[in-house]
């Protein structure tokens, strides 16, 4: 029914979606829609559960697998920036099982990770999980980043937060505030080169792994956006995941904006 409803809108408009990021069916749901979307996954604090939509003025608990959004009859000008930046060359998955990387370039993934990550960080697995991620080639020059969920020190395999297939390309990536800020500025420069007149209105979806968690202070990304486009009205919100269009599908990004 949702796909049928979305099909009534022209492809040229902005289709912005806010989805239930905790849903186990999010990926097949987005594939089933067969309509590229921009947007994000609902995020909340422990004390304030999010509500996607309600006809009642009284607060209520969120609805699982919910979808809210809007359609604007104007083609969007969009781009994406990543907090995670590569620290290794692209590697080919040569053996995998579900979300387990068994071999990269016919080598043990753990051995390759040890080549690009320092010893002290490798010894602190909690900190490693906060800093180092796997980037997966999503095509068209785009990469999606997923956490490293586990390490098999005996077999040298890595468990990651996405199903991977042999033949895919991956990189190791580091969540780095300095390079993230540069990537944000590069994205803004690209957008500036594509506009014909100053924009009047913008929407910014900020990944939960950005903001103060990345920079040590809030408002860094929105300040850079406002400096690049002075006078533009800007709405921004934090998101548990970020949605960007792909060819006939929607990519699920993490730690992006």
């Amino acid at each position: 029914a949702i796909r049928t409803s979305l099909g009534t809108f022209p492809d040229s408009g902005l289709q912005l979606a806010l989805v239930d990021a905790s849903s186990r069916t999010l990926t097949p749901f987005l594939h089933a829609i067969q309509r590229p979307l921009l947007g994000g996954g609902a995020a909340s604090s422990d004390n304030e559960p999010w509500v996607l939509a309600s006809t009642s003025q009284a607060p209520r608990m969120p609805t699982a697998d919910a979808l809210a959004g809007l359609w604007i009859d104007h083609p969007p000008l969009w781009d994406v920036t990543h907090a995670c930046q590569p620290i290794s060359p692209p590697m080919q998955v040569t053996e995998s099982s579900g979300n387990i990387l068994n071999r990269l370039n016919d080598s043990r993934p753990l051995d390759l990770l040890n080549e690009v990550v320092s010893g002290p960080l490798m010894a602190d697995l909690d900190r490693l999980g906060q800093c180092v991620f796997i980037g997966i080639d999503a095509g068209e020059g785009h990469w999606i980043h997923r956490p490293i969920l586990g390490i098999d020190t005996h077999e040298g395999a890595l468990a990651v937060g996405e199903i991977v297939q042999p033949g895919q390309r991956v990189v190791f990536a580091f969540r780095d505030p300095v390079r993230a800020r540069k990537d944000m500025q590069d994205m803004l420069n690209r957008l500036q080169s594509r506009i014909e007149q100053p924009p009047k209105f913008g929407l910014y979806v900020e990944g939960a792994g950005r903001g103060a968690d990345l920079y040590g202070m809030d408002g860094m990304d929105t300040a850079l956006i406002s400096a690049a486009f002075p006078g533009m009205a800007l709405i921004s919100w934090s998101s548990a995941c970020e949605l960007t269009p792909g060819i006939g599908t929607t990519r699920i990004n993490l730690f992006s904006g």
Side-chain angles (χ1 to χ4, degrees):
I2 293 175
R3 183 172 63 187
T4 301
S5 298
L6 286 171
T8 64
F9 298 119
D11 291 333
S12 60
L14 167 61
Q15 296 174 51
L16 186 74
L18 183 62
V19 299
D20 177 3
S22 65
S23 172
R24 295 182 179 180
T25 62
L26 177 57
T27 297
F29 172 74
L30 292 173
H31 285 311
I33 289 177
Q34 296 180 353
R35 176 64 70 94
L37 302 173
L38 280 166
S44 71
S45 67
D46 293 336
N47 298 324
E48 298 180 0
W50 52 264
V51 176
L52 283 181
S54 175
T55 58
S56 170
Q57 294 183 357
R60 63 181 178 86
M61 291 302 292
T63 301
D65 298 332
L67 169 70
L70 58 87
W71 177 78
I72 300 175
D73 186 14
H74 194 281
L77 183 66
W78 68 274
D79 209 323
V80 63
T81 182
H82 296 285
C84 301
Q85 298 296 313
I87 55 174
S88 75
M91 302 165 288
Q92 186 174 54
V93 178
T94 47
E95 183 182 333
S96 65
S97 176
N99 70 323
I100 307 298
L101 291 171
N102 296 308
R103 289 292 185 273
L104 296 176
N105 291 347
D106 292 320
S107 299
R108 297 185 350 147
L110 181 56
D111 295 339
L112 298 176
L113 182 60
N114 272 304
E115 292 178 4
V116 295
V117 176
S118 64
L121 185 56
M122 290 295 297
D124 187 344
L125 295 184
D126 288 337
R127 185 163 173 257
L128 178 73
Q130 297 172 11
C131 300
V132 181
F133 300 86
I134 195 81
I136 303 171
D137 188 357
E140 303 175 273
H142 293 276
W143 297 80
I144 58 173
H145 298 93
R146 296 294 186 263
I148 296 175
L149 302 177
I151 296 175
D152 184 337
T153 56
H154 178 68
E155 298 291 337
L158 301 177
V160 299
E162 183 78 16
I163 293 177
V164 286
Q165 303 290 343
Q168 285 187 285
R169 296 196 311 159
V170 300
V171 295
F172 293 122
F174 192 80
R175 192 162 69 104
D176 176 3
V178 175
R179 296 175 70 193
R181 179 171 177 172
K182 181 182 183 304
D183 195 67
M184 165 61 85
Q185 191 61 61
D186 289 344
M187 180 194 74
L188 294 172
N189 293 340
R190 291 194 301 270
L191 289 172
Q192 287 176 321
S193 69
R194 291 161 57 192
I195 62 173
E196 297 180 357
Q197 56 186 356
K200 296 181 179 180
F201 177 67
L203 297 166
Y204 178 60
V205 183
E206 181 178 63
R210 301 180 68 88
D213 287 339
L214 176 65
Y215 298 115
M217 59 180 292
D218 286 319
M220 176 65 75
D221 284 349
T222 52
L224 292 172
I225 295 171
S226 296
F229 301 106
M232 181 185 72
L234 178 66
I235 294 177
S236 68
W237 68 91
S238 295
S239 172
C241 65
E242 301 75 60
L243 307 179
T244 56
I247 297 179
T249 188
T250 299
R251 299 188 186 94
I252 302 175
N253 302 279
L254 299 177
F255 315 108
S256 67

